[in-house]
């Protein structure tokens, strides 16, 4: 179902008002390694962003 003009206008207004709220951050892995990493993260019950935040905190603990 297509979005109405009012919905499109609201979407545009939302995008404009939230510009800069997030930064896309990515990397590249070979397909098999990416599949393995995704499976491990999924089994942990985290999503990728949660995993990265957790990993950063773990690294901070080790550097103390």
């Amino acid at each position: 179902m297509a979005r109405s003009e009012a919905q499109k206008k609201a979407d545009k207004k939302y995008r404009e008002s939230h510009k800069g709220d997030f930064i896309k951050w990515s990397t590249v892995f070979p397909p098999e390694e990416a599949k393995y990493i995704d499976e491990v993260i999924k089994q942990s019950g985290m999503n990728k962003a949660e995993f990265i935040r957790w990993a950063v905190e773990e690294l901070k603990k080790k550097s103390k």
Side-chain angles (χ1 to χ4, degrees):
M1 186 158 90
R3 295 186 65 75
S4 71
E5 289 305 313
Q7 288 170 321
K8 290 178 187 177
K9 186 177 177 182
D11 290 346
K12 183 177 179 181
K13 183 178 177 183
Y14 179 86
R15 282 192 306 272
E16 290 298 319
S17 67
H18 288 84
K19 248 185 195 173
D21 285 358
F22 295 96
I23 296 174
K24 199 175 254 189
W25 194 57
S26 64
T27 188
V28 179
F29 291 100
E32 287 303 312
E33 186 178 13
K35 183 179 175 184
Y36 173 73
I37 291 168
D38 284 342
E39 287 174 8
V40 172
I41 292 171
K42 197 175 288 185
Q43 288 172 1
S44 76
M46 292 184 219
N47 63 37
K48 291 176 186 175
E50 292 168 330
F51 171 74
I52 291 170
R53 290 180 188 112
W54 171 83
V56 168
E57 291 304 316
E58 291 299 308
L59 287 172
K60 283 172 54 178
K61 288 177 190 175
K62 289 181 180 183
S63 68
K64 289 183 177 181

